[in-house]
Amino acid sequence: MAETEKRPTNFIRQIIDRDIESGLHTTVHTRFPPEPNGFLHIGHAKSICLNFGIAEDYQGTCNLRFDDTNPEKESIDYVNAIKSDVSWLGYHWDGEVRYSSDYFDSLHGYAVELIEKGLAFVDFSTQEQIREMRGTLKAPGQHSPYRDTDVATNLQEFEKMTQGEYTEGHCCLRAKIDMASPFMCMRDPVIYRIKFAHHHQTGEKWCVYPMYDFTHCISDAIEGISHSLCTLEFQDNRRLYDWVIDNISIATQPRQYEFSRLNLEYTVLSKRKLIQLVTEGFVDGWDDPRMPTIAGLRRRGYTPASVREFCSRIGVTKMDNLIEMSMLEACIRDELNEHAPRAMAVLDPVKIVIENYAQGEGETLTAANHPNKPELGSRELAFDKEIYIERDDFREEANKKYKRLVLGKEVRLRNAYVIKAERVEKDEDGNIQTIYCTYDADTLGKDPADGRKVKGVIHWVSALRHEKAEIRLYDRLFKEPNPGALELAEAYNPDSLVKLNGVVESGLANKAIGEAVQFERTGYFCLDKESKAGALVFNRTVALRDTWAKIGD
Ligand code: ATP
Ligand code: MG
């Protein structure tokens, strides 16, 4: 990782510093524990950067562990996508990838241990009854009629559950804790349930699966996690985790610390909603460039460093937050402004014919790849009698503020000559078809000889030698800054994707998928994976700031 990346401290790092100073820990061992039930999103990136970043900085280790206790919702495709996203972000997990399912035998053993200690019982109440007996935040719950079943019977019944002798939902294993606890998670929580489901790691081996809460804390303990970092919604569950670990024979006790989730404006960061966007066809898959997924950001043109930089800028606290999209955009823009080579592309072309330029006399000009980085070299530009400019860069009439091409006036073509618009040709509906211009041959790389001032500069692409390209412009996925509570259809922004048929410099055909480029005046782009020879596709990663502001409207 680049040394220039800042590592601001936060309350978790302060706790770790204290633990190391006091000798409580000599090494730091963290983990990132995703459930493989969807692709990772930018919120997960926050957790990844925190966990892996801490391990890196304290010369500790960080595990990648799949918390895979819900076989019906999980899949190997999600496992693979998550592994590739973590690697893409630039992090390395310690040893092999781990799975909570690696510990199913141990977890089952610990469940038996709780039964033997009289701390767990098999409950034959229906789910409905269990819910009713749980009580409310104001009223304590009631004891299940099965709560006092003797240990021997509980052991037998749990064994029958495990052997597949009961149907799904017929019974479950519950911890015996405290039905009057102010923490609902302590009211005899279910710790094992029956599920006749194929598991992506363990196949058909099990028909009982441990619940997340029971699994998570034991998995952390088995792996010797020193600091178990998670989001605030698990704050109450910490009591249950501590109870489980205190009551089974396991040596380590990871300490859990909670931080606030990342929320980002104009998008949703919940896998349930993201799945819905994909399955209901609002977007074109998990890696649609509008998605806040790591895969979507990558396809959009974000780099690993820009995502890490974002996570560093937002920091880690316990405060609720809704981060502005512009914060994320600034991270990639800052990076691309430094590194992306420049090129010209016309997104909405209108043709120009330069009448005094000799027929068949095209030439090859040279343009710098970066205005202030000569080390990025230069490229060849085809200039011809016929070129394209943006439809929006021409007006028949305009006031002085409009510093682009106006009928009867001059403008400079970026990296080329000064041209003057002489007349236009329109179709039957009055749309401009062609703009006829003349050029001043003595203005390549220099001002007009007679001291004429030409203020505007516009970009262009040869109409005879270029590549066609579909240009995809993205806007916010949702119309509302905080769409979480709304129906997707209601909040969805139908203009979040606009496709244009543009033209780009021929050299851009050689770009690699994902490679960044700045199209002068229109933004930072990258080649999309759907690109083919002769049918390039570019995604706009992010628009420019007020570039060339002097050009005016
Ligand atoms: P989702 O609500 O999207 O399903 P989750 O928390 O259920 O998220 P997990 O796969 O269980 O997803 O998350 C793995 C880790 O990532 C957890 O430690 C979780 O706390 C963290 N995480 C998930 N979402 C965010 C977020 N928005 N901000 C920060 N950390 C997050
Ligand atoms: Mg979860």
Side-chain angles (χ1 to χ4, degrees), residues 51-96:
N51 280 293
F52 283 94
I54 282 176
E56 265 178 11
D57 289 355
Y58 289 86
Q59 279 96 50
T61 45
C62 181
N63 294 353
L64 173 60
R65 180 178 74 240
F66 288 98
D67 255 327
D68 53 349
T69 54
N70 274 316
E72 289 142 325
K73 295 198 167 158
E74 298 164 4
S75 80
I76 196 72
D77 292 342
Y78 291 140
V79 167
N80 290 333
I82 291 171
K83 287 200 288 197
S84 107
D85 286 348
V86 173
S87 301
W88 178 79
L89 277 173
Y91 293 111
H92 307 284
W93 49 87
D94 185 50
E96 297 290 310

Side-chain angles (χ1 to χ4, degrees), residues 31-48 50-51 65 67 82 212 216 229-234 259-264 268-274 314 321:
R31 85 287 172 271
F32 172 63
E35 185 181 352
N37 61 350
F39 276 51
L40 297 181
H41 51 63
I42 183 82
H44 292 114
K46 174 175 178 176
S47 176
I48 292 170
L50 178 67
N51 280 293
R65 180 178 74 240
D67 255 327
I82 291 171
Y212 175 83
H216 188 74
L229 312 176
C230 67
T231 36
L232 280 168
E233 69 272 22
F234 296 103
F259 60 94
S260 54
R261 294 176 82 85
L262 166 67
N263 299 299
L264 195 58
V268 288
L269 297 183
S270 137
K271 275 183 275 181
R272 191 176 55 80
K273 295 226 163 147
L274 295 175
I314 57 173
N321 59 70

